[in-house]
Amino acid sequence: LSSDTLTNIIWGYVFLTGSAAPVPDFRMRSASLATASSSSTVTCSAPSGIQNGDLLVGCAYFDTSTAITCPSGFSRFLTDITSSKAEACCSKTASSESGSYVFTGGGSPSVANCGMTVWYDAGTSIPLMVYSSAANTATSATSITPSSVTPNGINDYVWSFVVQNAGSSGLINPLQWDVTGWGNAASSVAARQSSAYYYANQTTALTPPAVSAVDGGSGTLKSATIDIGPTSTTTATATA
């Protein structure tokens, strides 16, 4: 169907029923990043502005081969242990949130990192969820290309999280995301992390751009690519 035909169908529905199918308008609300050294835990502070019903999505990276435990109340959806480097990502629907979020790993890794993001729907209050994810590891490298994911729907966002734990003072300049159409989500040279998001508008495989260390130093880099989208496009209505 042409775009004009689809528009006529939608407005015909509005005229007959007095309501229009809801259009998801979800966004990243805020984010926080943290790092720790010689510690079995790393703590992400609560990102600003969290509201009940928001989707919290967090990832952590430990310089150890022990599986990571996610913060209390979170469900893990990704675990990757490669070359004695562990990564985990998890999510939770916000409900009366308070305090910070602690990721726990085994032993006393030289470095541990975490990033926490908050997602919400500004248009329809449709709940959000994680549909798929993929991890990648690059060792003795100055850059990494995150793994691809296939968005569940055209309204999804893809979040790419990258961290470096050895050999370099930090990760990419956020401007490297901008020139490829990715919006900077949160980056910190001190925390050796960078992340960005991309409005999918497609249901074919999407690969984030390669990212490089700021100073060109070689080390181990890990990435997580996450597809986040609305649970439904028909669970709410908007009055015309």
Side-chain angles (χ1 to χ4, degrees):
L1 297 176
S2 69
S3 59
D4 288 342
T5 300
L6 288 172
T7 299
N8 289 335
I9 291 173
I10 292 170
W11 280 112
Y13 176 82
V14 171
F15 177 78
L16 291 173
T17 67
S19 62
V23 178
D25 180 21
F26 80 94
R27 311 164 187 176
M28 192 188 80
R29 189 185 297 281
S30 57
S32 66
L33 302 173
T35 187
S37 58
S38 301
S39 174
S40 61
T41 63
V42 61
T43 302
C44 268
S45 60
S48 62
I50 300 174
Q51 297 183 22
N52 289 346
D54 288 353
L55 179 69
L56 304 176
V57 181
C59 294
Y61 178 153
F62 278 70
D63 189 15
T64 177
S65 59
T66 303
I68 299 169
T69 300
C70 290
S72 176
F74 280 74
S75 298
R76 182 186 0 245
F77 59 83
L78 183 150
T79 296
D80 181 71
I81 302 174
T82 305
S83 301
S84 298
K85 313 294 182 184
E87 181 176 27
C89 295
C90 50
S91 64
K92 175 189 180 184
T93 299
S95 177
S96 301
E97 300 301 308
S98 62
S100 52
Y101 302 101
V102 181
F103 293 86
T104 304
S108 297
S110 58
V111 180
N113 312 82
C114 65
M116 184 67 65
T117 56
V118 182
W119 302 82
Y120 74 107
D121 189 328
T124 63
S125 299
I126 292 174
L128 306 175
M129 65 177 289
V130 172
Y131 278 98
S132 62
S133 61
N136 193 22
T137 302
T139 58
S140 300
T142 59
S143 65
I144 186 171
T145 300
S147 297
S148 63
V149 295
T150 299
N152 179 72
I154 61 172
N155 292 307
D156 289 11
Y157 270 87
V158 172
W159 180 45
S160 181
F161 173 81
V162 182
V163 61
Q164 181 171 13
N165 272 8
S168 177
S169 64
L171 281 174
I172 65 164
N173 183 323
L175 291 178
Q176 284 187 311
W177 294 111
D178 296 339
V179 298
T180 58
W182 289 70
N184 179 48
S187 297
S188 170
V189 171
R192 298 184 177 185
Q193 300 175 65
S194 189
S195 67
Y197 56 90
Y198 188 91
Y199 179 63
N201 198 30
Q202 66 185 67
T203 54
T204 55
L206 193 156
T207 304
V211 296
S212 303
V214 170
D215 61 4
S218 177
T220 297
L221 298 97
K222 289 186 77 70
S223 68
T225 311
I226 303 163
D227 173 35
I228 304 168
T231 57
S232 171
T233 58
T234 60
T235 58
T237 58
T239 300

